[in-house]
Amino acid sequence: MTHASALRQPSLDLLRAIAITLMVIVHFVENLSGWYGTDGGPFAASQRTWWLPAGFAAPIFTFLTGTSYRIWLRVQQQRHRSDDSITKATVRRGLLLFGLGFVFNVLVWLPEDVFNWDVLTLIGTVMLALAVLRSAPDGVILAAAALAVALTPPLQSAAGYLEYWAQGYFDYEFTLADVTLGWLVVGYFPLFPWLAFPLVGYALGPVVFETEGTVPRRWPLAIGGGLIVAAVAVIAAWQAGSFLTPLTPLSPWTMFPPSLAYLLGTIGGVVVAGTAAHATIDRDPDRWQWLINWATPLSRHALSVYLLHHIVHVWPLWAYGAATGADPTAHWQIALHPSTSLGLAIAFMAAASLLFHWMESRRVASVETLMRWLCDEPAAPRSSRGQSDQSRGSKAVRQPEDR
Amino acid sequence: MIARDHDQPHAADALGPHPEVPGGLPAGSMVRRLTLPPGRPFDLLVIPTADPTADPTADKAQPTNQAALAEQAQRWVRAAAESVAASSTGIAAAPVAIPLYGCYVIWAPSHGAVLGSPTRIEQLAGTLGEFAAREAELRDLEGRGDKLLATVESDAPAAFEFDDRTQAIRSRLAARFLEAVAVRRGLASLGPAVHVPPIHPPTLASQLAERLRDRTRLAERHELASDRADFSFQVYEACGQRAAEFGIARRQLGLEWAIVVILVAQLTLMLVEMLRFGSST
């Protein structure tokens, strides 16, 4: 396998497509039916064990953000793009996503939730962090990720996380302290601990997906398996009544707040899933071509899918609320029966698959195209035959990860 | 070091079929297969002729006969050398023929012939074998040096600056550095055998060796190969230094980054406590 071709991994596209599908299902069901049947408690929440896979959507997505950035970086280096140029493109992407996150919050979650610190602002911040951290050795990046995970329980405790989430969602005041704490610890996707996922994806992605050299597969399996075992140990410690219990009093496995067991288990799970997907899909892509055909357009347009699905299911909810009463959010989480919401999510994904497949075939511009146009500079002119050969090699891998 | 077939009984199988003695040669003629470095075969045709000094009543037509034998031996060497060159897609070098005191020595890179009286022929065969071994060694080192020289230009940027991109070819650079060292070592050990001062009083063997060295320009080739190897070595030595410096810098960078990460973590803890305290009052 040549080095350039090794960068193109269908398993990455598949995992990202699975993540975005899970995300769509979670958002449809939780936003339209999350508190359906309030007498029995939330229909879909962290304490329902059968709803547990929903908690893997954001971890997979953010983990792959780090891995994709690493691959993108590799392609830029193969194109002999200067460090300055790479940093500029990374910072532009980070700022664009950060700004887009605020615009998205205002337009989708209404102006009062502008600082809810959703996943787009996290990814924007991560891009800015990686623009600096990419010069650090992988060991340091992994140590930083470990520190982000380890510091999360004390930071949540110090920041008073549960007080911000008393209503079941992030409720904050428009003060500098609340806004900053939301960005750091107590928002929907704060830096602590969510920074850990892209950092681990950045440092371990090349090992998991074998994009830079080959290492024995047992390494990522051992790391992922070890983290899962550690998560089980933390759950056991929680049940035995450890110091972690007051932080997540309802369950040892919660996404809001991200508990220690959740962090260790999801990071380990993503590493194991990535290794398994790479071993299965990338070894014999022809066998899985139908799956790859489905996943690739969704993966390449994941940002567009993310934005579109919110518009499709949240805006009608607000419009219906505004039309039937004074509060646009009156029907949030109680609008539909869960099975209807699930059906709508599946219908949306089917339509999105067809739409983005068609857009790919007709080369219709998407949000990703806009981002590339705004953020990326054209590659440096090729000055020698050797460079041009390398560039041809990297051109073949431009499509999947050049986002 | 050269070895005869009978020293290495299995060598002939690996080196191909043993050539047959051409027809029409005097009795006692034979083809000896020698193994030259690095494992190349060298077929030596040995043709003993009558010694005119030992038998004054010998046939007066012998010089004519010896010239014809020499011509036949030369044709055999040329044909064999050309067939070897064709199979290895190389260019056949013209055989070198040296008449010496009634004897005749013919050499090509893969074949040779010695024609002379039985009292001298072993001495000449030994000298030719020794020379063929040295020449083969030099030829091999020249080839390896040429391969290195072909990659020097593309690797030269790493001698100036080492970064993450060049880090990926570090092991390749290291292998080429080791190859440059090996070529230099080989040329250095070959030097005394190539630059041999004339022996006084001269012997038959020393004169043959000297003439073979002159005719094949062994000393000049050795000098040129040494210059080329030195050049490659300098480039790859500089690459090695840059790689070592880069490794040291990376380790220092790792330490600095570790300090930065810990400081950021400490600042975050302080900031969160400060903000929490500020918001609660």
Side-chain angles (χ1 to χ4, degrees):
Chain A
M1 186 180 282
T2 64
H3 192 74
S5 66
L7 292 175
R8 183 170 191 153
Q9 304 286 14
S11 57
L12 274 169
D13 285 332
L14 179 66
L15 281 177
R16 193 180 285 109
I18 290 171
I20 197 76
T21 305
L22 276 174
M23 212 176 269
V24 167
I25 291 171
V26 169
H27 289 157
F28 267 78
V29 173
E30 293 206 342
N31 288 327
L32 301 178
S33 325
W35 280 88
Y36 192 92
T38 48
D39 52 336
F43 161 75
S46 56
Q47 52 267 49
R48 310 283 190 196
T49 49
W50 46 265
W51 196 238
L52 190 137
F56 276 86
I60 297 173
F61 202 76
T62 47
F63 180 94
L64 294 181
T65 299
T67 304
S68 294
Y69 179 73
R70 180 74 171 252
I71 293 172
W72 176 83
L73 198 61
R74 190 88 180 165
V75 172
Q76 304 313 306
Q77 287 168 346
Q78 283 182 349
R79 288 179 186 172
H80 297 269
R81 185 169 275 187
S82 70
D83 275 357
D84 279 354
S85 168
I86 291 171
T87 304
K88 279 180 193 170
T90 308
V91 170
R92 281 195 206 114
R93 282 177 177 227
L95 290 176
L96 179 78
L97 287 167
F98 198 71
L100 184 65
F102 287 124
V103 173
F104 169 80
N105 286 346
V106 170
L107 293 179
V108 172
W109 295 116
L110 306 181
E112 60 263 32
D113 260 350
V114 63
F115 293 116
N116 69 5
W117 303 110
D118 211 338
V119 77
L120 287 179
T121 46
L122 170 75
I123 293 174
T125 312
V126 163
M127 282 289 167
L128 297 174
L130 284 174
V132 180
L133 277 171
R134 69 187 169 87
S135 59
D138 285 349
V140 171
I141 290 176
L142 282 176
L147 210 55
V149 171
L151 279 178
T152 294
L155 282 173
Q156 286 170 349
S157 176
Y161 187 101
L162 295 177
E163 292 168 32
Y164 289 92
W165 284 77
Q167 306 295 321
Y169 54 87
F170 177 48
D171 191 16
Y172 67 97
E173 300 292 331
F174 276 91
T175 62
L176 180 65
D178 277 13
V179 168
T180 312
L181 282 175
W183 179 62
L184 283 174
V185 192
V186 297
Y188 273 92
F189 290 97
L191 285 185
F192 289 88
W194 287 93
L195 185 62
F197 290 94
L199 291 187
V200 175
Y202 179 86
L204 280 189
V207 179
V208 172
F209 297 99
E210 294 181 286
T211 52
E212 294 175 23
T214 305
V215 296
R217 197 173 301 151
R218 61 177 179 274
W219 286 18
L221 282 178
I223 294 168
L227 287 170
I228 291 170
V229 169
V232 172
V234 170
I235 291 171
W238 183 91
Q239 284 170 338
S242 76
F243 70 98
L244 296 168
T245 311
L247 291 169
T248 55
L250 293 175
S251 163
W253 183 279
T254 56
M255 188 172 171
F256 302 105
S259 65
L260 194 55
Y262 171 80
L263 294 171
L264 296 172
T266 48
I267 294 174
V270 174
V271 170
V272 171
T275 310
H278 173 62
T280 313
I281 307 289
D282 299 334
R283 293 272 180 263
D284 188 11
D286 293 338
R287 189 180 166 194
W288 303 95
Q289 200 57 51
W290 58 275
L291 201 56
I292 295 166
N293 288 343
W294 166 77
T296 306
L298 290 174
S299 169
R300 285 181 185 165
H301 300 280
L303 179 59
S304 299
V305 177
Y306 180 82
L307 296 174
L308 184 65
H309 90 277
H310 272 100
I311 291 168
V312 163
H313 84 282
V314 175
W315 277 3
L317 192 66
W318 294 167
Y320 181 61
T324 56
D327 184 7
T329 62
H331 300 284
W332 184 53
Q333 293 193 322
I334 53 170
L336 297 170
H337 188 274
S339 57
T340 312
S341 303
L342 185 64
L344 286 174
I346 292 168
F348 172 82
M349 282 313 295
S353 296
L354 293 173
L355 173 68
F356 288 104
H357 201 275
W358 175 80
M359 285 173 67
E360 285 246 305
S361 62
R362 298 291 176 92
R363 295 182 178 277
V364 177
S366 61
V367 181
E368 287 79 5
T369 317
L370 176 73
M371 190 163 74
R372 277 198 293 273
W373 180 70
L374 283 172
C375 304
D376 288 359
E377 291 173 5
R382 295 154 191 170
S383 57
S384 73
R385 197 172 56 181
Q387 285 181 357
S388 121
D389 287 347
Q390 278 190 309
S391 300
R392 272 201 295 276
S394 60
K395 196 174 178 182
V397 300
R398 182 164 56 105
Q399 294 290 338
E401 299 307 332
D402 197 6
R403 128 178 57 249
Chain B
M1 180 66 71
I2 53 172
R4 282 194 194 179
D5 259 8
H6 58 260
D7 296 328
Q8 294 180 335
H10 300 295
D13 298 336
L15 301 173
H18 201 292
E20 290 180 0
V21 178
L25 294 179
S29 299
M30 67 178 91
V31 176
R32 291 178 188 163
R33 172 156 285 186
L34 312 175
T35 305
L36 308 180
R40 285 190 198 141
F42 182 78
D43 293 328
L44 178 59
L45 178 61
V46 180
I47 308 170
T49 57
D51 187 353
T53 55
D55 182 10
T57 62
D59 186 3
K60 298 291 181 191
Q62 189 182 339
T64 311
N65 186 30
Q66 190 159 9
L69 286 174
E71 181 64 30
Q72 190 179 356
Q74 196 161 354
R75 277 203 306 274
W76 179 83
V77 169
R78 188 189 301 274
E82 280 173 356
S83 85
V84 168
S87 65
S88 62
T89 64
I91 299 165
V96 172
I98 300 172
L100 192 67
Y101 300 117
C103 301
Y104 214 76
V105 176
I106 304 152
W107 171 88
S110 58
H111 291 76
V114 182
L115 186 149
S117 64
T119 53
R120 292 171 171 172
I121 200 161
E122 284 304 324
Q123 204 178 0
L124 294 174
T127 305
L128 182 59
E130 196 64 34
F131 166 78
R134 296 288 82 79
E135 200 280 338
E137 205 174 337
L138 178 60
R139 188 175 291 267
D140 176 56
L141 291 168
E142 283 173 329
R144 289 163 65 184
D146 286 349
K147 278 184 188 166
L148 275 177
L149 209 58
T151 59
V152 158
E153 197 173 339
S154 61
D155 291 339
F160 178 73
E161 190 175 19
F162 217 84
D163 55 21
D164 284 327
R165 275 169 258 181
T166 35
Q167 176 76 358
I169 57 165
R170 185 191 168 115
S171 57
R172 201 168 73 199
L173 292 173
R176 285 178 184 161
F177 172 71
L178 291 176
E179 176 69 358
V181 170
V183 170
R184 275 191 71 173
R185 187 205 60 78
L187 288 167
S189 63
L190 198 59
V194 172
H195 301 282
V196 183
I199 295 170
H200 189 79
T203 63
L204 182 68
S206 73
Q207 284 187 64
L208 174 63
E210 199 176 326
R211 287 189 192 187
L212 281 168
R213 285 199 299 272
D214 285 348
R215 292 285 297 275
T216 54
R217 296 169 56 218
L218 213 59
E220 289 87 347
R221 283 168 55 196
H222 181 267
E223 202 172 326
L224 185 63
S226 299
D227 286 349
R228 289 175 154 210
D230 285 351
F231 175 67
S232 303
F233 176 80
Q234 283 167 8
V235 171
Y236 287 109
E237 187 187 30
C239 289
Q241 283 174 358
R242 295 290 165 278
E245 287 165 6
F246 182 74
I248 293 166
R250 280 293 282 254
R251 279 194 288 278
Q252 286 174 346
L253 186 74
L255 186 64
E256 287 164 13
W257 269 110
I259 293 167
V260 168
V261 166
I262 291 167
L263 281 174
V264 168
Q266 188 187 2
L267 281 173
T268 308
L269 277 166
M270 282 172 59
L271 183 67
V272 168
E273 281 188 354
M274 208 169 68
L275 289 170
R276 179 68 179 153
F277 177 74
S279 66
S280 63
T281 49

